[in-house]
Amino acid sequence: MAATYTMQEMKDLHNENETILYPRMIIKGQCSTEELIEDIAHHTTYNTGELRGMIMALKDAMAREMSRGYSVKLDEIGTFTPSLGITEGKEAEQPEGGNRRNARSIKIRNINFRADKELIRKTEGHCTLERESGTSKLKTSRHSSEKRLKMALDFLTTHPYMTVADYMALTGLSHTTAARELQKWGTTPETGILPKGQRTHRVYVAVTAKEKD
């Protein structure tokens, strides 16, 4: 069965007043664990009970290792890395003075995944694409860029950092547009926003008084 794609309208990185088209895969649904087990059983000598047990054991082993501060690399699949956040309802720790957070107010906030190149290559090898008719229009925000910047700065007064997903929820922008705008602001000091971390671990924080001087 072929996968389908559409051409998505996006802002041109080199000219913000222009849009260009990029291919975007149409996600038809989600493959469940049971469906994956049935597929593996069909192509191997393992029965579904054995496979179900292996997956549950893998999940538990990964959780134990990540809880000890390790990332988990599954060869030819990818790397899983835990990330931290502040427990809901707790105030963020300030860079200078103020309340200091203890371990009880910090929790595992998410687990980031970075796909291995071999998984990407294997998926590409199996993939047959067909184009859907029409073009997906650029998703825009009803707020001006000045209003979006103020919303971001207001958010950072009550949160220690902001992710692209946070900014998407605030503004209604698509992931790509939100990420590009945050990246632009993060490299423009006068906006009052700074990037921290790399790639999937990147977040945005408010510029402190010391950093402004």
Side-chain angles (χ1 to χ4, degrees):
M1 182 186 297
T4 57
Y5 72 97
T6 186
M7 298 306 292
Q8 173 73 53
E9 189 177 27
M10 294 184 180
K11 288 284 187 181
D12 188 341
L13 283 174
H14 305 291
N15 187 345
E16 292 188 357
N17 296 319
E18 299 292 334
T19 58
I20 53 180
L21 298 178
Y22 283 95
R24 178 175 64 84
M25 182 177 282
I26 304 299
I27 302 302
K28 301 173 182 177
Q30 188 175 77
C31 176
S32 70
T33 302
E34 288 303 314
E35 289 170 327
L36 195 62
I37 286 172
E38 292 289 343
D39 182 71
I40 297 171
H42 180 73
H43 291 91
T44 68
T45 58
Y46 299 109
N47 63 50
T48 56
E50 290 172 330
L51 290 167
R52 194 175 293 109
M54 290 177 189
I55 290 174
M56 295 302 104
L58 177 62
K59 173 204 68 176
D60 290 342
M62 290 175 64
R64 285 193 296 272
E65 294 304 319
M66 287 188 287
S67 73
R68 296 168 184 156
Y70 291 91
S71 64
V72 175
K73 184 179 188 302
L74 300 182
D75 290 344
E76 300 186 4
I77 294 179
T79 302
F80 297 80
T81 307
S83 63
L84 299 177
I86 306 297
T87 302
E88 188 174 351
K90 299 291 185 180
E91 294 181 2
E93 182 175 325
Q94 299 301 314
E96 297 179 8
N99 295 330
R100 291 180 61 83
R101 297 267 61 87
N102 58 39
R104 287 181 297 178
S105 62
I106 298 172
K107 65 176 183 177
I108 299 292
R109 186 173 189 267
N110 202 355
I111 295 173
N112 301 309
F113 173 71
R114 185 176 182 185
D116 189 274
K117 290 181 180 179
E118 178 59 20
L119 179 62
I120 298 171
R121 188 196 67 78
K122 196 81 170 180
T123 303
E124 164 63 20
H126 284 295
C127 189
T128 301
L129 288 168
E130 292 180 357
R131 179 171 176 169
E132 285 195 353
S133 60
T135 299
S136 296
K137 292 296 183 181
L138 177 68
K139 186 176 181 181
T140 58
S141 173
R142 59 190 177 88
H143 306 292
S144 67
S145 60
E146 291 81 7
K147 174 65 174 177
R148 293 196 297 270
L149 177 58
K150 184 180 184 304
M151 292 166 71
L153 291 170
D154 288 345
F155 180 90
L156 288 171
T157 62
T158 56
H159 297 77
Y161 59 84
M162 179 170 58
T163 65
V164 173
D166 292 329
Y167 191 58
M168 289 169 61
L170 278 176
T171 63
L173 293 173
S174 68
H175 184 279
T176 300
T177 306
R180 287 175 177 170
E181 187 158 89
L182 282 176
Q183 183 179 26
K184 176 183 175 182
W185 286 348
T187 56
T188 310
E190 55 266 31
T191 62
I193 293 176
L194 282 177
K196 299 287 185 181
Q198 298 293 325
R199 296 181 180 177
T200 57
H201 295 198
R202 174 163 290 182
V203 297
Y204 294 84
V205 301
V207 177
T208 65
K210 181 182 288 185
E211 288 168 330
K212 289 180 180 179
D213 293 338

